[in-house]
Amino acid sequence: MASSLTKDSVAPGTPGSETTFFGHPRGLATLFMTEMWERFSYYGMRALLPLYLVAPGGLHMSATTATAIYSVYLSLVYLLALPGGWVADRVLGPRRTVAVAGLVIMLGHLTLALPSSGTFFAGLALVAIGSGLLKANISTMVGHLYQGPDDPRRDGGFTVFYIGINLGAFAAPLAIGTVGEKVDWHLGFALAALGMALGLAQFLIGRRHLDARSDVVPTPMSAEEKASTLRKGLLWLAVAAVFYGVVGFSGHYTLNWILVPLTLVGLIIPVWVIARIKRDRSLDREEQSKMSAYIWFFVAAAVFWMIYDQGGSTLSIFAESSAENSVFGWDFPVSWYQSVNPVMIMALAPVFAWAWLALNRVGREPSTIVKFASGLVLVGASFFLFLAPLTIAGDGEKAAAMWLVAIYFVQTVGELTLSPVGLSVTTKMAPAKYASQMMGVWFLAVTAGDATTGLLSIAGVDLNGKGIVALEATLALIAGTAIYMYRNKVKTLMGNVN
């Protein structure tokens, strides 16, 4: 990476005068590499998860149960980004929170590597907790590298950061997926732990290049608040332990005793959190207006992620049972499909970053609202496309691998119009009081989408059915059209944010 660092010949103190990483602050290299390795561990484990759950040599569950577990797990990862932001805002600051998160994730993957179904679910919990601590805060630290919301490099910086995410996500299924499917499931999970260890080491070595704001605890808790929070946490933990102990010893326990409450939490908490922030009377009129606009983006993102994240569950399980997983006669592991999206991201993200800047220079860059509407229309189109391989499989034939590649391609283009822009607009529109927590709010949109998928699976809905796929596709198209039709109203609420 050193060859990409340059020294700009401009006056000291001006944006861009420091040693840079592809024209961006040097600290972006540290965060880029940390996120790359963390995503390597996360996406490698994620590629294996649904396949391990349904495999005869794994936990041998039904497709609906596996999809429910996968969806609830993803919703928890993003739900826990909110308390992750709170820990940074009130206790540790973003930089120390990310360091702790890396350690917890590594321990989680090591626990997954143990050959026991009991430790498997404990490992999933640890990875979810660690990922929640890391996700919101590492994105917040990217925002700290720039000179406020109007820094012209800001959107491009998040796009470069997004490449780091997808570089790790691309390599993970090829390495971890191959080892897990072809050698040993648990050895694959152990390889994910190694990836997180490398990411943590990279972060600790390069943390000196981060902005000083990343060490600040914006609203530190008093000793009394810490004691009160600890008491409440232990009380709720004891209540849960007693409740599930009674259910277990009475012989009534099933997996749904965990899945249903977690799914409902994933739907209720996002609504409650946004309502709480919106009702905060300490926010000024401009901040309140921006929060009203943000609700539109939040709902749009929830619909998008509900469909998009099924690429790792619904599409993967379909590929395992109903697709011809070969190219020119060469067979490949099912988990390799999870590398299609990230390699397309890496190919197309620089093109999108360049295009946004080029259009901006001539005053024709699409607004954030138009980008969001486009993302929804595209993800809806991807599920209309999914109807073709479903029909082929319904006739008793194996669907060609290129059908799935085409679906991932359309979703990737949609992702590039929505996700990096969503990260950036969240940092621009966040009230100062909720700086780190607002990144957690952004990730709650993923929680709501995945929780909806989980609830459908728990109810026994076959997400590989043509009817439900067509219904989801239609919902995305309607949402995208609604966002576009009301774009002027949303733009007014956004104030000075484009």
Side-chain angles (χ1 to χ4, degrees):
M1 289 297 175
S3 61
S4 63
L5 300 176
T6 60
K7 186 76 171 180
D8 295 340
S9 300
V10 293
T14 61
S17 65
E18 69 280 4
T19 301
T20 64
F21 177 68
F22 293 114
H24 293 273
R26 173 63 180 87
L28 185 61
T30 295
L31 299 176
F32 176 99
M33 292 294 291
T34 304
E35 183 74 350
M36 183 192 75
W37 283 113
E38 189 273 332
R39 294 291 87 183
F40 174 85
S41 69
Y42 174 77
Y43 279 100
M45 183 277 293
R46 203 174 92 157
L48 288 182
L49 180 56
L51 302 176
Y52 174 74
L53 291 173
V54 300
L59 297 186
H60 205 194
M61 296 178 172
S62 67
T64 53
T65 301
T67 300
I69 291 172
Y70 179 89
S71 300
V72 169
Y73 166 71
L74 288 191
S75 73
L76 278 180
V77 167
Y78 291 94
L79 175 63
L80 291 169
L82 188 65
W86 179 86
V87 169
D89 279 348
R90 304 299 311 275
V91 184
L92 296 176
R95 191 180 304 185
R96 285 187 291 273
T97 303
V98 167
V100 171
L103 180 61
V104 173
I105 293 170
M106 184 180 68
L107 292 175
H109 287 304
L110 288 173
T111 305
L112 288 172
L114 300 175
S116 166
S117 59
T119 56
F120 178 82
F121 288 103
L124 279 184
L126 286 172
V127 176
I129 292 168
S131 297
L133 288 170
L134 184 139
K135 290 190 73 64
N137 293 300
I138 199 164
S139 297
T140 297
M141 288 192 289
V142 173
H144 286 164
L145 298 173
Y146 298 96
Q147 307 298 315
D150 296 325
D151 191 322
R153 301 173 300 167
R154 192 183 187 93
D155 278 8
F158 274 100
T159 300
V160 172
F161 178 68
Y162 218 62
I163 295 173
I165 293 174
N166 287 281
L167 186 61
F170 165 71
L174 302 181
I176 296 172
T178 301
V179 170
E181 282 192 71
K182 301 300 183 183
V183 182
D184 182 82
W185 295 107
H186 298 286
L187 188 58
F189 295 131
L191 188 56
L194 175 61
M196 190 63 254
L198 292 172
L200 180 58
Q202 146 69 24
F203 180 77
L204 295 175
I205 291 169
R207 66 186 185 276
R208 66 185 183 278
H209 299 295
L210 302 177
D211 190 272
R213 287 175 291 175
S214 297
D215 259 340
V216 174
V217 180
T219 53
M221 299 177 71
S222 65
E224 292 78 9
E225 287 177 311
K226 289 180 180 178
S228 174
T229 301
L230 180 61
R231 284 195 301 270
K232 290 177 182 177
L234 291 175
L235 175 61
W236 281 109
L237 184 62
V239 168
V242 170
F243 175 78
Y244 282 103
V246 171
V247 171
F249 284 117
S250 66
H252 292 91
Y253 178 80
T254 65
L255 197 56
N256 281 350
W257 280 98
I258 291 289
L259 293 180
V260 172
L262 291 179
T263 302
L264 293 176
V265 163
L267 290 171
I268 294 169
I269 287 185
V271 175
W272 176 78
V273 168
I274 289 182
R276 181 176 62 85
I277 295 175
K278 191 71 180 67
R279 292 198 306 265
D280 190 338
R281 295 183 180 180
S282 69
L283 302 185
D284 60 33
R285 179 175 296 179
E286 181 182 0
E287 289 175 323
Q288 286 282 1
S289 179
K290 288 179 179 178
M291 280 303 303
S292 296
Y294 191 77
I295 292 172
W296 286 81
F297 296 116
F298 182 91
V299 174
V303 174
F304 179 90
W305 294 117
M306 178 187 69
I307 296 175
Y308 179 91
D309 273 347
Q310 290 183 58
S313 56
T314 303
L315 288 177
S316 186
I317 292 172
F318 172 83
E320 194 274 333
S321 62
S322 304
E324 190 69 44
N325 303 311
S326 64
V327 178
F328 303 118
W330 175 68
D331 295 333
F332 56 86
V334 174
S335 57
W336 283 24
Y337 281 112
Q338 301 310 307
S339 287
V340 173
N341 169 263
V343 76
M344 289 178 177
I345 288 285
M346 289 186 289
L348 296 176
V351 176
F352 273 73
W354 171 84
W356 297 148
L357 288 174
L359 290 170
N360 181 268
R361 282 193 290 267
V362 297
R364 301 189 65 180
E365 180 183 3
S367 67
T368 298
I369 303 164
V370 172
K371 291 175 184 177
F372 262 69
S374 300
L376 282 166
V377 170
L378 286 165
V379 83
S382 77
F383 258 36
F384 277 124
L385 185 60
F386 187 24
L387 293 174
L390 284 173
T391 300
I392 293 169
D395 293 334
E397 300 179 19
K398 293 280 188 179
M402 293 309 295
W403 280 113
L404 295 174
V405 172
I407 294 168
Y408 287 122
F409 173 77
V410 175
Q411 290 185 348
T412 298
V413 177
E415 180 185 4
L416 283 168
T417 65
L418 184 144
S419 189
V421 178
L423 286 169
S424 182
V425 80
T426 297
T427 63
K428 292 177 182 179
M429 296 174 67
K433 181 178 179 180
Y434 298 101
S436 290
Q437 291 181 56
M438 276 299 290
M439 269 301 171
V441 171
W442 164 251
F443 292 124
L444 285 180
V446 189
T447 295
D450 286 325
T452 302
T453 302
L455 194 61
L456 290 171
S457 297
I458 292 169
V461 175
D462 179 10
L463 294 175
N464 274 316
K466 288 188 285 187
I468 189 65
V469 168
L471 181 62
E472 290 180 84
T474 302
L475 175 63
L477 290 179
I478 291 173
T481 302
I483 288 285
Y484 184 78
M485 289 177 61
Y486 287 91
R487 64 191 181 280
N488 291 331
K489 176 180 179 180
V490 178
K491 174 60 181 171
T492 300
L493 292 171
M494 290 172 69
N496 60 354
V497 176
N498 286 321

